[in-house]
Amino acid sequence: MNIVNFRYLSHIHDYHSTFQLYEREQKLLLTDMLEIYFMELPKLLIKWRNREVDPREDQLVRWLLLLEASEGEEITQVLEEIAMQEDQVLKKAMDEWERVSQDPEVLLAYEARRKALLDEKSALKRAEKLGEEIGKQIGEEIGEKKGIIKVALSMIQKGLDTQTIAEFTNLTPEEIDKLRHQ
């Protein structure tokens, strides 16, 4: 089971996906004894906000929302009501969570982990932005190089000498000779 706090399967709209092992060509199920589950919390939260899921009716929704309870007062309130009225296991889990969250060592560990996750997320965003900038720069350089090559080829067709072409394009004489022999 994979519970992720990001959108992993963008082409699937449901928050809960189940995969099995199939033979590709024959579409034959290998076994019904192995399944891989993905629970995408951001998709669940959207469904929760749109009132498309109800933790009172769905135990899975209840437990997944519990993971997000610290982030939303409304979620916490609804889960507390359910715990008090009908779900003793959930009540026990929430009571234990409350007890443990009062422990200073646990709070320090939680905050350290939370900070590490936020730092990692920030680093990923910076790396992604840098990657986009580098990709854009490389793309521009490739486009510029193609343009220079196009100009050089035109100059070759007009019969200009290598030295003149090199002066106007900044290509090396070797690069110009390669273009002449294409």
Side-chain angles (χ1 to χ4, degrees):
M1 181 180 308
N2 301 283
I3 301 174
V4 296
N5 199 19
F6 55 90
R7 292 179 67 104
Y8 179 61
L9 304 165
S10 58
H11 55 286
I12 297 175
H13 298 290
D14 204 7
Y15 69 92
H16 177 200
S17 302
T18 305
F19 294 89
Q20 295 178 311
L21 299 177
Y22 284 88
E23 198 288 322
R24 286 184 193 175
E25 297 297 319
Q26 301 292 317
K27 306 287 189 246
L28 176 68
L29 179 64
L30 177 65
T31 178
D32 61 358
M33 302 299 282
L34 176 65
E35 293 181 329
I36 302 169
Y37 299 94
F38 283 91
M39 315 290 175
E40 298 173 87
L41 295 178
K43 290 179 184 178
L44 174 64
L45 289 175
I46 289 169
K47 289 189 176 290
W48 157 258
R49 286 186 205 106
N50 292 336
R51 303 293 185 234
E52 295 173 26
V53 294
D54 185 354
R56 289 176 179 84
E57 296 175 10
D58 189 330
Q59 191 175 27
L60 177 62
V61 169
R62 202 175 304 162
W63 285 96
L64 290 172
L65 284 175
L66 183 60
L67 296 173
E68 294 292 324
S70 64
E71 303 298 324
E73 195 173 308
E74 183 185 0
I75 294 172
T76 303
Q77 188 176 14
V78 169
L79 292 177
E80 284 175 349
E81 288 173 16
I82 294 168
M84 296 303 235
Q85 295 171 1
E86 60 192 82
D87 191 336
Q88 291 303 307
V89 176
L90 181 63
K91 181 176 183 340
K92 187 175 178 180
M94 291 180 80
D95 288 346
E96 184 64 17
W97 187 331
E98 183 68 30
R99 185 189 68 74
V100 169
S101 67
Q102 301 304 316
D103 184 333
E105 286 183 35
V106 172
L107 284 174
L108 281 174
Y110 168 77
E111 287 301 323
R113 175 71 177 140
R114 188 164 186 247
K115 182 182 180 319
L117 289 172
L118 290 172
D119 289 348
E120 183 179 326
K121 190 175 185 179
S122 177
L124 286 172
K125 282 188 178 182
R126 281 195 309 272
E128 194 174 271
K129 186 175 181 181
L130 180 62
E132 287 174 5
E133 289 172 7
I134 290 171
K136 184 178 177 183
Q137 183 179 353
I138 290 171
E140 288 172 357
E141 288 173 11
I142 289 170
E144 188 176 308
K145 185 76 170 184
K146 284 183 178 180
I148 289 170
I149 289 171
K150 199 173 188 180
V151 167
L153 287 170
S154 292
M155 295 172 89
I156 290 169
Q157 287 176 347
K158 299 239 188 265
L160 295 172
D161 64 284
T162 299
Q163 184 62 34
T164 304
I165 295 171
E167 287 176 26
F168 283 105
T169 63
N170 289 328
L171 293 175
T172 65
E174 293 80 18
E175 291 172 316
I176 295 167
D177 286 341
K178 281 184 184 176
L179 290 174
R180 285 188 191 280
H181 295 97
Q182 281 185 351

